[in-house]
Amino acid sequence: MADGDTNLPTIERRLGLQIWSIENMKMVPVPEKAYGTFFEGDCYVILHSKRTSRGTAVDLHYWIGKDSSQDEQGAAAMYVTQLDAALRGSPVQHREVQGHESETFQSYFRNGIIYKKGGVASGFKHVETNMYNIKRLLHVKGKKHVSATEVALSWDSFNKGDVFLLDLGKVLIQWNGPNCSIAEKSRGLALARSIRDSERGGRAQIGIIDNEKDSPDLLKIMKMVLGERHGELRDAIPDTKADELQKANVRLYHVYEKDNDLVVQEIATRPLTQDLLQHEDCYILDQGGFKIYVWRGKASNQEEKKAAFTRAVGFIQAKGYSSSTNIEVINDGAESAMFKQLFQRWTEKDETQGLGKVYTVGKTAKVEQVKFDTTQLHARPELAAEQRMVDDASGDVEVWRIEDLQMQPVDPKTYGQFYGGDCYLVLYTYLRSGRPHYVLYMWQGRHASVDEITACALNAIELDKKHGDEAVQVRVTMGKEPAHFLAIFKGKLIIYEGGTSRAQKCNPERAVRLFQVRGTNEMNTKATEVPARASSLNSNDVFLLATNQVCYLWCGKGCSGDEREMAKMVADIVSRRDKHTILEGQEPAEFWEALGGKAPYASEKRFQEQITHYQPRLFECSNQTGRFIMTEVVDFCQEDLDEDDVMLLDTWEEIFLWIGKASNTYEKNEAVASAKEYLKTHPAGRDLATPIILVKQGCEPLNFTGWFNAWDPYKWSDGKSYEEMKNSLGDVSALSEITVDLNNISLSKRTLSMTNLTSSSTSSVSPEYKSHFNHNDGSSYANSSSNGSPFTVPNDQGVYSREVLMNKTVDELPEGVDPTKKEYYLSDADFHEIFGKSKHEFYQMPKWKQQNEKKQCGLF
């Protein structure tokens, strides 16, 4: 794709990442090997495309280095505008400033972003593989989003809380501050390995200093480079991140020109509604100064559209915000998920809802209950997630009521009957892979006392301990029962508005009770008590009116036969009196008398408003500083769940809290409070009664794992911990011989000289090193051997067609092809077509994920 009227280069229409630097005001492609490395003196244009359920999502970014010129910044912005026009307004555009990149931008570089001093104009090149004449110090920051900035080669650059990487060409020394978390150390190590493999062809050693006393040899090298250290190291400077209260402060402005002046007029604050956006206009949405969105209406004029970035920058200056504030430009009809989620509700035309049902805005339709095959849940965890079902609800149920702040067993004959004046604990046990799993529901009545609600939570902790701390804990607010909760009571779930089920305190039964019954089968039916007045009726549903003489089944005009059958089953529980079925419009006088007389009620067919399928979002939660801060992980995967984290997964109807095994006690104890704070401060004005589900590492249910692509149940037992990754590097810290040449440093060991390996010595190399022989840049460590290397890699001509490599046994492969790396021998074009991503992106993925994709494509 190229445009005759612009200076745009030819752009490939493909999935994945494409990056250009601005050189002499032209877009010049950056080699794939250098993706993730940015010169501080340059500007870049980044194009990212990915498949979604609705087609292809395209994001365009321009990145501004802190030392780049105004001319380069202007050129980058201009190219992004031209690219947007060439792509017909489908991309979401972003302005990124070094050190303040958006979460979307950071998600492209899983191993981290490296900032290099200088720029192309100073004669620096992006890729200089196997260059060892290097001496630099990188300051590594971040747990979820890692960035490494080149800093002065001095002990003054260090602090106690961050990771620092001393890069000496053939040796990389990772120095971990004494206050670093395991996650920060792991991310630092991932970055060090990435530099070793992509920039040094695997030919560099990594040494790690966790405790200086245990690594005297490595510390000696650091002192030779940095000099002796004097004085104490300073404390780490905490990141200045926007907290959730700040992000919740959303304001919408109408932007227009009047008499050659730009007018910015505030028109609304939270909660925002979609109808505020008119297609003829442009708007600025200010998210508390944390991020600025510009929305461009389809019918707004071209000049207004072109001026989007300029206006946003002007708005930032006028407000006195930081010049590094993120800007996102959104086109009408191509809004990003993050933008939509700032509105109370967002509707779209003709979007599939549930399992294959399509509704259109404005069309009247009864809300259909979708029936699905529960046997598919284990085979398709994404279905379990979508339907909010842990399993097929065939497990065992136990129920306790909180009485005098203790657990009192409930008579199994009354299971499913819940009173608004009580709190209950419901333990659900089911088998998976022959092992019991537990879900513990804490049901809180609307009229229960604060003491009872607190006691319910405390008793839940004790009950969880009795089951090995493995239960998934679900907070259920009366009236907001999740789908699985309904299913386990097999159509007999009845919610009484008030009162209690305690024997000694049984309230006298009301003479007249009215219940609204919703549901079409045993899996989705619930009866809820409503005020016994005519105005409570609704033509779409079945109602049970229980009096001392009779029980009426009132069938609204819009109800179905299935709903009537389920109501009959519930009627036998709520009343022992004779049952009379009456149709709407044919009620006897006694029916209206019992309700206190006729009154208007909802008789229109229920509107099915089309609400966009909510894109699940994953956040790291932190409130240790006293401010509630959340870091979003875009395009998340299982690898983003770290052992020392508390993570929040928001699926709109439910909030999951994932508790890592090594997470600190404070954040564990505050997890539920964090989730409530998240709902309270959400810009869209969320329902505070949304179920909150506590999930522990290693005990994840299907309705949680289904939101993750290719979930590996063995990851926690088979995955490598930080210590295991560190040990796999070899015993660098106990070297018996150290050779230091400050221009060309090499580490060697008498039993193993890494610079002179032969094929006969490969058996003594640590597995970590062996794995990297297979993908260096063409030459092998063993090439000095007369027998040749068993780890050969194809040279530039060693590319094979997919037919030769896919679904082939070891014997069927061409000579010299490594059967464990078949995908490596594909051409770049074939690789992209098969995997939907570049080799660079593929090898950035976790090992287990690579293996899964190779299996699916016949290249394992």
Side-chain angles (χ1 to χ4, degrees):
M1 177 193 78
D3 194 323
D5 300 331
T6 69
N7 295 318
L8 287 179
T10 302
I11 312 288
E12 289 181 62
R13 283 190 180 275
R14 61 175 173 84
L15 296 174
L17 201 57
Q18 296 179 67
I19 303 179
W20 298 264
S21 60
I22 303 299
E23 296 180 26
N24 299 321
M25 303 302 140
K26 295 256 182 350
M27 279 172 66
V28 177
V30 171
E32 252 187 47
K33 268 189 174 178
Y35 284 8
T37 298
F38 297 89
F39 283 115
E40 296 181 334
D42 289 337
C43 289
Y44 295 80
V45 172
I46 295 94
L47 175 67
H48 183 263
S49 305
K50 67 174 180 184
R51 279 200 191 98
T52 68
S53 56
R54 301 197 55 167
T56 305
V58 183
D59 285 272
L60 259 175
H61 308 254
Y62 75 97
W63 184 91
I64 299 170
K66 70 181 180 69
D67 299 327
S68 61
S69 70
Q70 287 295 325
D71 287 348
E72 286 172 324
Q73 293 176 26
M78 178 193 73
Y79 281 125
V80 163
T81 305
Q82 289 178 359
L83 271 168
D84 176 60
L87 292 163
R88 297 181 183 172
S90 62
V92 174
Q93 300 168 56
H94 310 256
R95 171 183 176 264
E96 311 283 356
V97 177
Q98 178 183 336
H100 302 273
E101 294 85 357
S102 65
E103 284 142 340
T104 303
F105 184 88
Q106 292 177 87
S107 73
Y108 307 148
F109 310 102
R110 289 215 167 259
N111 286 331
I113 297 168
I114 298 176
Y115 306 127
K116 284 187 173 179
K117 288 195 179 301
V120 174
S122 321
F124 292 97
K125 288 183 186 167
H126 260 289
V127 178
E128 297 177 298
T129 308
N130 301 338
M131 284 286 292
Y132 301 112
N133 189 15
I134 290 168
K135 205 196 305 180
R136 63 176 177 172
L137 180 64
L138 295 172
H139 179 188
V140 184
K141 280 185 78 72
K143 268 176 72 179
K144 285 288 171 265
H145 302 130
V146 178
S147 64
T149 311
E150 213 173 303
V151 291
L153 273 160
S154 160
W155 286 110
D156 293 340
S157 300
F158 285 70
N159 67 57
K160 293 178 188 173
D162 291 328
V163 172
F164 290 82
L165 208 54
L166 182 60
D167 183 0
L168 302 167
K170 286 191 178 175
V171 177
L172 293 155
I173 300 175
Q174 178 177 334
W175 182 94
N176 296 327
N179 300 338
C180 274
S181 68
I182 292 288
E184 287 169 320
K185 292 175 184 179
S186 299
R187 297 288 187 266
L189 180 49
L191 181 67
R193 288 163 69 170
S194 174
I195 292 170
R196 176 192 65 188
D197 299 341
S198 59
E199 293 187 27
R200 312 290 146 77
R203 293 185 188 80
Q205 280 182 274
I206 298 170
I208 296 177
I209 300 178
D210 267 326
N211 183 340
E212 291 186 346
K213 287 176 185 169
D214 299 336
S215 311
D217 294 337
L218 291 172
L219 192 59
K220 187 177 172 185
I221 295 175
M222 289 188 73
K223 285 179 178 176
M224 292 181 77
V225 177
L226 303 168
E228 285 296 326
R229 190 168 73 212
H230 304 289
E232 275 284 298
L233 289 171
R234 56 196 170 84
D235 291 325
I237 300 163
D239 293 334
T240 49
K241 285 187 177 176
D243 61 26
E244 294 310 292
L245 274 170
Q246 183 186 336
K247 290 183 194 174
N249 183 20
V250 289
R251 292 173 184 274
L252 188 68
Y253 298 84
H254 181 202
V255 183
Y256 59 97
E257 281 190 2
K258 187 178 180 185
D259 303 328
N260 293 329
D261 289 328
L262 184 67
V263 180
V264 180
Q265 179 185 3
E266 184 177 327
I267 55 170
T269 58
R270 154 187 156 175
L272 302 178
T273 52
Q274 189 184 355
D275 57 4
L276 292 165
L277 303 173
Q278 300 297 312
H279 300 297
E280 302 77 27
D281 293 318
C282 288
Y283 298 84
I284 283 177
L285 193 157
D286 177 2
Q287 193 181 3
F290 159 72
K291 192 167 189 174
I292 303 298
Y293 294 87
V294 182
W295 185 86
R296 309 188 300 187
K298 280 176 184 166
S300 60
N301 69 55
Q302 285 304 314
E303 288 310 307
E304 282 193 319
K305 286 180 179 175
K306 279 182 184 173
F309 276 120
T310 315
R311 286 180 176 179
V313 172
F315 179 84
I316 286 168
Q317 289 167 346
K319 283 281 190 180
Y321 294 154
S322 164
S323 59
S324 60
T325 303
N326 271 133
I327 297 172
E328 192 171 297
V329 176
I330 305 274
N331 290 313
D332 185 353
E335 293 85 0
S336 66
M338 285 182 185
F339 181 77
K340 292 174 190 172
Q341 287 156 19
L342 297 172
F343 289 77
Q344 198 165 31
R345 55 180 45 178
W346 190 276
T347 60
E348 307 229 16
K349 287 186 180 177
D350 300 330
E351 182 168 328
T352 302
Q353 197 180 52
L355 298 178
K357 292 209 171 290
V358 174
Y359 296 105
T360 308
V361 182
K363 194 173 176 182
T364 61
K366 176 106 186 341
V367 178
E368 297 281 343
Q369 296 281 355
V370 181
K371 197 166 185 178
F372 67 101
D373 183 359
T374 53
T375 59
Q376 291 183 34
L377 291 174
H378 286 276
R380 291 181 55 204
E382 71 280 3
L383 183 71
E386 205 173 291
Q387 295 297 327
R388 271 79 185 175
M389 292 294 282
V390 172
D391 72 339
D392 60 3
S394 62
D396 296 326
V397 179
E398 291 175 87
V399 184
W400 295 266
R401 181 179 55 254
I402 301 301
E403 199 169 310
D404 298 327
L405 310 186
Q406 300 298 317
M407 287 165 57
Q408 190 68 34
V410 168
D411 181 352
K413 289 177 189 166
T414 64
Y415 278 8
Q417 297 178 44
F418 291 84
Y419 289 79
D422 287 331
C423 284
Y424 297 82
L425 284 173
V426 178
L427 180 67
Y428 178 76
T429 307
Y430 64 104
L431 288 176
R432 201 163 110 203
S433 306
R435 199 173 145 253
H437 286 67
Y438 309 99
V439 181
L440 182 54
Y441 291 103
M442 295 167 272
W443 190 90
Q444 301 170 358
R446 190 177 290 127
H447 308 294
S449 70
V450 173
D451 286 349
E452 284 172 326
I453 290 170
T454 306
C456 185
L458 292 173
N459 280 286
I461 292 168
E462 290 307 309
L463 192 55
D464 186 16
K465 279 181 186 167
K466 285 180 187 171
H467 293 85
D469 272 331
E470 292 188 352
V472 171
Q473 295 179 33
V474 188
R475 183 198 72 146
V476 180
T477 305
M478 177 174 167
K480 281 284 174 181
E481 294 75 18
H484 187 257
F485 190 84
L486 269 62
I488 64 177
F489 291 108
K490 308 287 186 289
K492 296 177 181 175
L493 180 61
I494 302 165
I495 311 291
Y496 294 92
E497 175 57 32
T500 174
S501 54
R502 302 176 204 188
Q504 71 273 29
K505 286 190 186 173
C506 214
N507 296 6
E509 273 206 22
R510 295 179 195 164
V512 179
R513 300 190 100 135
L514 183 65
F515 297 87
Q516 184 173 25
V517 184
R518 279 189 174 178
T520 54
N521 57 51
E522 286 190 351
M523 300 293 276
N524 62 21
T525 295
K526 174 171 80 168
T528 309
E529 185 173 7
V530 293
R533 294 193 292 267
S535 57
S536 298
L537 298 173
N538 186 318
S539 296
N540 295 288
D541 296 315
V542 181
F543 286 77
L544 302 175
L545 179 63
T547 71
N548 290 333
Q549 292 79 37
V550 70
C551 178
Y552 294 103
L553 266 83
W554 182 85
C555 302
K557 288 174 182 171
C559 75
S560 68
D562 286 343
E563 287 170 318
R564 287 196 287 273
E565 288 306 309
M566 291 312 300
K568 284 176 188 172
M569 193 168 97
V570 175
D572 289 333
I573 301 169
V574 299
S575 174
R576 292 180 187 161
R577 309 289 176 201
D578 287 345
K579 311 297 183 296
H580 288 197
T581 301
I582 53 175
L583 302 177
E584 182 179 2
Q586 299 175 19
E587 301 87 352
E590 295 82 11
F591 176 83
W592 296 117
E593 255 173 54
L595 289 174
K598 282 189 178 184
Y601 59 85
S603 56
E604 293 295 313
K605 280 193 177 180
R606 193 173 285 132
F607 278 84
Q608 172 63 35
E609 186 170 29
Q610 175 51 47
I611 297 177
T612 298
H613 176 64
Y614 185 83
Q615 187 175 312
R617 303 172 76 186
L618 183 72
F619 300 87
E620 178 201 6
C621 309
S622 171
N623 55 6
Q624 277 192 293
T625 57
R627 292 164 67 234
F628 180 47
I629 291 171
M630 298 186 74
T631 307
E632 182 161 9
V633 183
V634 179
D635 282 340
F636 60 83
C637 63
Q638 187 181 2
E639 200 75 4
D640 294 310
L641 302 173
D642 285 315
E643 290 202 349
D644 60 346
D645 279 339
V646 171
M647 305 291 287
L648 184 147
L649 178 68
D650 179 5
T651 67
W652 190 265
E653 286 181 33
E654 295 165 335
I655 300 288
F656 290 94
L657 283 163
W658 182 88
I659 312 291
K661 280 178 181 166
S663 55
N664 71 58
T665 311
Y666 178 81
E667 285 183 350
K668 271 185 200 171
N669 294 342
E670 291 296 311
V672 174
S674 296
K676 289 178 181 174
E677 184 72 13
Y678 171 76
L679 287 169
K680 203 184 293 179
T681 58
H682 198 285
R686 295 284 287 278
D687 186 341
L688 301 183
T690 303
I692 295 171
I693 302 172
L694 218 60
V695 174
K696 299 184 195 73
Q697 180 184 335
C699 306
E700 295 85 359
L702 284 174
N703 57 332
F704 175 82
T705 62
W707 296 109
F708 293 77
N709 188 28
W711 180 272
D712 178 5
Y714 304 108
K715 181 185 184 311
W716 311 130
S717 50
D718 297 349
K720 282 189 175 179
S721 68
Y722 164 70
E723 287 301 326
E724 287 167 331
M725 286 195 294
K726 180 179 157 185
N727 293 337
S728 71
L729 295 170
D731 190 11
V732 183
S733 57
L735 294 171
S736 55
E737 181 185 339
I738 301 175
T739 311
V740 182
D741 169 355
L742 291 185
N743 289 323
N744 187 9
I745 291 190
S746 65
L747 295 188
S748 55
K749 196 172 183 180
R750 285 197 179 95
T751 54
L752 171 64
S753 171
M754 294 309 294
T755 52
N756 185 27
L757 281 173
T758 64
S759 59
S760 59
S761 72
T762 53
S763 59
S764 63
V765 182
S766 69
E768 181 73 9
Y769 283 120
K770 277 189 185 172
S771 69
H772 291 290
F773 291 169
N774 298 337
H775 58 86
N776 62 32
D777 65 343
S779 54
S780 140
Y781 283 120
N783 61 10
S784 58
S785 163
S786 57
N787 301 331
S789 165
F791 302 105
T792 53
V793 179
N795 56 23
D796 292 339
Q797 287 75 43
V799 171
Y800 298 98
S801 70
R802 61 175 79 186
E803 292 76 22
V804 172
L805 299 168
M806 289 173 78
N807 302 308
K808 298 294 181 194
T809 62
V810 176
D811 300 334
E812 294 171 320
L813 291 170
E815 195 176 341
V817 167
D818 180 351
T820 66
K821 281 266 189 273
K822 292 181 196 173
E823 78 288 350
Y824 194 84
Y825 301 82
L826 291 164
S827 68
D828 288 347
D830 276 353
F831 192 98
H832 220 290
E833 201 172 316
I834 292 167
F835 290 100
K837 56 178 73 70
S838 69
K839 286 181 182 175
H840 167 80
E841 290 171 305
F842 181 81
Y843 289 122
Q844 277 203 328
M845 293 193 319
K847 225 5 166 248
W848 60 269
K849 205 167 179 186
Q850 291 179 27
Q851 307 289 41
N852 278 348
E853 293 203 7
K854 281 157 69 169
K855 282 175 190 170
Q856 288 166 12
C857 300
L859 286 161
F860 185 65

